[in-house]
Amino acid sequence: QVQLIESGGGLVQAGGSLRLSCAPSGRTLWSYNMGWFRRVPGKEREFVAGISWTGNNIIYGDSVKGRFAISRDNAKNTLYLQMYSLKPEDTAVYYCAARSSRSTVVSTNVFDYDYWGQGSQVTVSS
């Protein structure tokens, strides 16, 4: 069992930046493909970004391309999501997720991920 803990959310004005972090409790992340998802009330969980366990494969959801950057530091056992040029429509609860897979193909499908964090609220004011 992997417990993921997100941090770094909060309130920011439109155009500002935030960085989310995700670290596991009791396990290492180096062998997991990782992803960030977000959800607003009444909507399905949306894929934001994903990174392979090697760090070589990265993909982004269309709505965040060019503004968000996912990265991982396996030495620090931490996943990051750097968010720039934030918009009010980025307001959501952000979740990190881990997928145990030997493949370096990054999935955008929420059902492919095995472990989830508790979520971190990001609010962007206009």
Side-chain angles (χ1 to χ4, degrees), residues 15-100:
S17 301
L18 276 177
R19 188 176 77 162
L20 301 179
S21 300
C22 172
S25 174
R27 295 286 292 269
T28 60
L29 289 178
W30 71 267
S31 62
Y32 291 84
N33 291 340
M34 302 295 297
W36 287 99
F37 292 77
R38 65 187 183 186
R39 183 165 65 185
V40 297
K43 292 189 175 182
E44 297 292 323
R45 205 167 289 197
E46 175 192 9
F47 173 79
V48 174
I51 185 168
S52 64
W53 63 271
T54 61
N56 293 334
N57 290 339
I58 291 175
I59 58 174
Y60 294 98
D62 289 341
S63 61
V64 306
K65 280 180 182 176
R67 299 188 299 120
F68 289 14
I70 187 172
S71 62
R72 65 191 300 161
D73 186 334
N74 286 342
K76 293 183 178 179
N77 207 25
T78 303
L79 174 75
Y80 301 100
L81 183 69
Q82 179 67 57
M83 303 181 289
Y84 301 100
S85 302
L86 283 160
K87 305 175 181 180
E89 50 264 42
D90 294 318
T91 295
V93 177
Y94 284 72
Y95 299 88
C96 69
R99 182 188 185 197
S100 179

